[in-house]
């Protein structure tokens, strides 16, 4: 799961000089031959990367992608980043961590007939009602575990902090638009 800041860099003759971008591509310290730099239309900066944070992915599918889970690029409006920050804040405020056991992984049993889940001591959400209501897990292939625990809240915290940075950048005049894309 990725978020990109996309900057349109293609310049046109009628653009003022202070509105034009310059693109330079090197490999091994040498300019790359065969690429028409004046034909590059945009540059994508990866600004966030998640791994198996299916609750975050579900939020993007439901709120940005119109319910379509198809691994395409979707523009994330600035207003939606503010909404995401608010949802993350509500989930964090409504989630008390207590001692418990968290998912660590699984392995094939010694007889090779079934999978054995492993857990270790960690922190779990005492009452996950707020989390389940505002940002529920979405089960599925490649989606990771579905426990409401320290890892769930860690992804929420990272996502909130990232969204705040992007909104602050926008208000500070950093150019570009935010796009979300998953790849399963």
């Amino acid at each position: 799961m990725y978020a990109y800041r996309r900057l349109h860099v293609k310049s046109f003759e009628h653009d003022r000089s202070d509105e034009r971008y310059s693109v330079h591509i090197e490999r091994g310290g040498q300019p790359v031959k065969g690429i028409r730099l004046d034909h590059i239309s945009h540059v994508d900066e990866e600004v966030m990367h998640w791994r198996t944070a299916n609750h975050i992915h579900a939020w993007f599918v439901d709120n940005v992608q119109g319910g379509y889970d198809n691994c395409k690029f979707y523009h994330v409006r600035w207003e939606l980043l503010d909404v995401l920050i608010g949802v993350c804040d509500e989930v964090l405020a409504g989630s008390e961590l207590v001692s418990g056991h968290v998912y660590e992984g699984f392995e094939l049993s010694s007889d090779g007939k079934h999978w054995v889940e492993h857990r270790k001591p960690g922190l779990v959400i005492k009452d996950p009602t707020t989390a389940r209501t505002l940002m529920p897990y979405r089960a599925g292939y490649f989606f990771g575990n579905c426990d409401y625990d320290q890892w769930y809240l860690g992804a929420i915290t990272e996502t909130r902090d990232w969204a705040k940075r992007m909104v602050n950048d926008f208000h500070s005049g950093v150019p570009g638009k935010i796009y979300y894309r998953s790849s399963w």
Side-chain angles (χ1 to χ4, degrees):
M1 302 160 43
Y2 305 91
Y4 299 93
R5 182 177 7 224
R6 178 170 286 177
L7 180 62
H8 289 275
V9 297
K10 187 166 180 70
S11 297
F12 300 94
E13 288 182 22
H14 63 274
D15 291 338
R16 296 187 332 245
S17 62
D18 63 334
E19 295 175 331
R20 292 175 180 247
Y21 290 95
S22 175
V23 177
H24 183 79
I25 301 174
E26 290 184 357
R27 183 174 183 187
Q30 299 297 315
V32 175
K33 295 178 183 178
I35 294 179
R36 301 249 338 247
L37 298 177
D38 60 329
H39 284 207
I40 294 176
S41 61
H42 66 271
V43 173
D44 287 340
E45 171 194 6
E46 184 181 306
V47 291
M48 185 64 177
H49 175 205
W50 298 264
R51 187 158 167 73
T52 62
N54 61 62
H55 52 302
I56 305 297
H57 175 66
W59 188 91
F60 280 105
V61 169
D62 294 341
N63 294 280
V64 175
Q65 299 177 204
Y68 298 105
D69 191 357
N70 55 14
C71 299
K72 292 184 179 181
F73 281 85
Y74 284 88
H75 175 239
V76 183
R77 296 187 334 265
W78 297 108
E79 303 83 30
L80 282 178
L81 286 177
D82 283 329
V83 171
L84 177 59
I85 292 166
V87 170
C88 290
D89 282 341
E90 281 188 65
V91 170
L92 291 167
S95 299
E96 177 188 354
L97 288 172
V98 296
S99 294
H101 288 87
V102 297
Y103 176 80
E104 185 177 37
F106 58 89
E107 67 181 346
L108 196 56
S109 64
S110 58
D111 62 7
K113 294 183 179 180
H114 60 278
W115 292 100
V116 177
E117 182 179 86
H118 294 284
R119 293 190 167 267
K120 65 180 181 179
L123 299 173
V124 298
I125 298 176
K126 181 177 182 178
D127 177 6
T129 302
T130 301
R132 277 192 194 114
T133 302
L134 297 177
M135 197 171 282
Y137 268 127
R138 179 167 293 165
Y141 194 63
F142 291 127
F143 277 6
N145 84 66
C146 293
D147 294 342
Y148 292 92
D149 59 14
Q150 64 195 44
W151 308 115
Y152 169 92
L153 288 182
I156 298 253
T157 300
E158 288 177 10
T159 300
R160 180 204 53 196
D161 294 349
W162 160 77
K164 283 182 176 181
R165 281 192 311 276
M166 295 301 99
V167 170
N168 287 339
D169 283 356
F170 170 72
H171 290 301
S172 298
V174 177
K177 294 181 179 180
I178 301 301
Y179 286 82
Y180 173 79
R181 178 178 182 266
S182 59
S183 176
W184 310 115

